[in-house]
Amino acid sequence: MTESINKDHFEIRLAQEEEIQLLCDLAAGEGWNPGLRDIECFYQADRTGFYIGILKGEPIGCISAVKYGNNYGFVGFYIIREPWRGKGFGLAIWDHALASLKGRIIGLDGVVDQQDNYIKSGFKLAHRNIRFEGKAKALTSKASSLVDVKNLPFEQVAAFDAGCFFEERKAFLKAWLGEEGHMGFAAVEDQQLKGYGLIRPYCDGYKTGPLFADNSGVANDIFNGLCAEIEGSNIILDVPENNADGLLLAERYELVQSFETARMYKGGSVDLPLDRVYGITSFELG
C-alpha cells in the first residue's frame, strides 16, 4: 500500500507532526470536545496512524487508524468538512484507513446513526458507550489507598493498563501520564495496584479516561479523589453500557447522560474485561 493516493486532485497522506493538531481542530468543530492536549499523546501511540485528506492543497478531512501490537487497530477522527460531504471523499479516506489495518481486528466508537454504514463495511456491534456529564463533587474524604499515579513505577501501571485494554500501549501511556494538566490517582493495597484513573482538561472542564479498577469500590475511591481535585468543574465520564457498576457510579455522582457511541469491531471479537472498565480512555483511541 502506498502512503498517498491521488484522485481528481484529492490526496490522502500521513499527517506530519506539525499537522497533527488539525485533527483535533476538526473534531472540536464537530462539537466532540477533545482534550486540550490529547492529540500530542495520541500521536505517540502510532506515528503512522493519522491521515489527512487534501483537495487542491486544502485539508478537507482526516481519519486515524492506530495500530496496537500486531493484532489490533482502532479507527477514529473520521471527519470530512461539511462542504465536501456526500461527494465520495469520506469513503475514499475511510477505505484508505481500513486498508492500513488489513489483517487486524479493527475497533471504533462510532456515532449511533452511522451504525448501518459501519455494518456495510463489515463491523459488528459489541456494546454501547454512554457519555455522562456533570459537576465534579467529592462525596467522601480521599481514600487512604490513593497515590499519585505518576509516582508509581511506570512498568507497574503499564502492566495493569494492558490487562484492561487490547494489549500494551507503552509509548502512548508514557505520554498520557506525563502530559501537562493530566492528573491521576492509583489505588494501591498491600503494594498491589488495584486500579487507576486520569482526568485531563478540555475546553469546558475535565474528561476522565481511563478509569480502570478491579471492583466498584476501588473505582469509586479513584473517581471521588479525581472529583476532589477539580471540585465544581464540569467532568465527563464515558462508561461501557455493559458495566452496570459503572453506570451506577455515574448515577451516584449525579452525572447525566449526554451522548453515546457504538463500539464495533471488524475482523473478529475482542473480549475486553468490561467489568474493570469504568471509563474508556477516549472515543478516538479506544
Side-chain angles (χ1 to χ4, degrees), residues 63-65 73-76 78 94-95 97-99 101-102 104-110 114-127 166 262-270:
I63 197 167
S64 60
F74 204 88
V75 176
Y78 179 31
W94 170 259
D95 288 344
L98 293 194
L101 298 175
K102 185 177 180 180
R104 298 169 180 266
I105 296 174
I106 306 171
L108 60 82
D109 282 322
Q114 290 295 319
Q115 280 187 71
D116 289 345
N117 288 330
Y118 297 137
I119 289 171
K120 291 175 183 176
S121 293
F123 285 82
K124 295 181 179 180
L125 178 67
H127 59 84
F166 303 126
R263 171 62 64 90
M264 307 182 78
Y265 294 108
K266 173 185 172 71
S269 60
V270 179

Side-chain angles (χ1 to χ4, degrees), residues 74-151:
F74 204 88
V75 176
F77 285 107
Y78 179 31
I79 304 167
I80 296 294
R81 292 169 64 189
E82 183 66 41
W84 293 279
R85 293 175 184 172
K87 303 179 185 300
F89 299 117
L91 181 59
I93 201 169
W94 170 259
D95 288 344
H96 191 73
L98 293 194
S100 74
L101 298 175
K102 185 177 180 180
R104 298 169 180 266
I105 296 174
I106 306 171
L108 60 82
D109 282 322
V111 294
V112 174
D113 62 6
Q114 290 295 319
Q115 280 187 71
D116 289 345
N117 288 330
Y118 297 137
I119 289 171
K120 291 175 183 176
S121 293
F123 285 82
K124 295 181 179 180
L125 178 67
H127 59 84
R128 296 191 304 160
N129 291 313
I130 311 298
R131 168 158 292 177
F132 293 95
E133 301 187 42
K135 295 292 184 182
K137 182 180 180 180
L139 302 184
T140 63
S141 58
K142 179 182 172 184
S144 59
S145 63
L146 295 187
V147 298
D148 187 334
V149 69
K150 298 180 183 181
N151 292 336

Side-chain angles (χ1 to χ4, degrees), residues 6 8 51 59 75 92 94 161 178 233 236 258:
N6 287 275
D8 298 327
Y51 296 92
V75 176
W94 170 259
D161 182 84
S233 298
I236 288 175
S258 64

Side-chain angles (χ1 to χ4, degrees), residues 45-88:
D46 177 11
R47 290 173 175 262
T48 66
F50 297 85
Y51 296 92
I52 54 177
I54 299 174
L55 180 64
K56 297 182 179 179
E58 179 182 359
I60 67 166
C62 60
I63 197 167
S64 60
V66 170
K67 294 172 284 294
Y68 291 112
N70 296 318
N71 300 313
Y72 302 103
F74 204 88
V75 176
F77 285 107
Y78 179 31
I79 304 167
I80 296 294
R81 292 169 64 189
E82 183 66 41
W84 293 279
R85 293 175 184 172
K87 303 179 185 300

Side-chain angles (χ1 to χ4, degrees), residues 37 48 50 66 124 165 170 174 233-234 248 253 258:
R37 286 173 285 276
T48 66
F50 297 85
V66 170
K124 295 181 179 180
F165 196 66
K170 288 184 177 180
K174 186 164 288 187
S233 298
N234 293 331
L248 290 174
Y253 286 83
S258 64

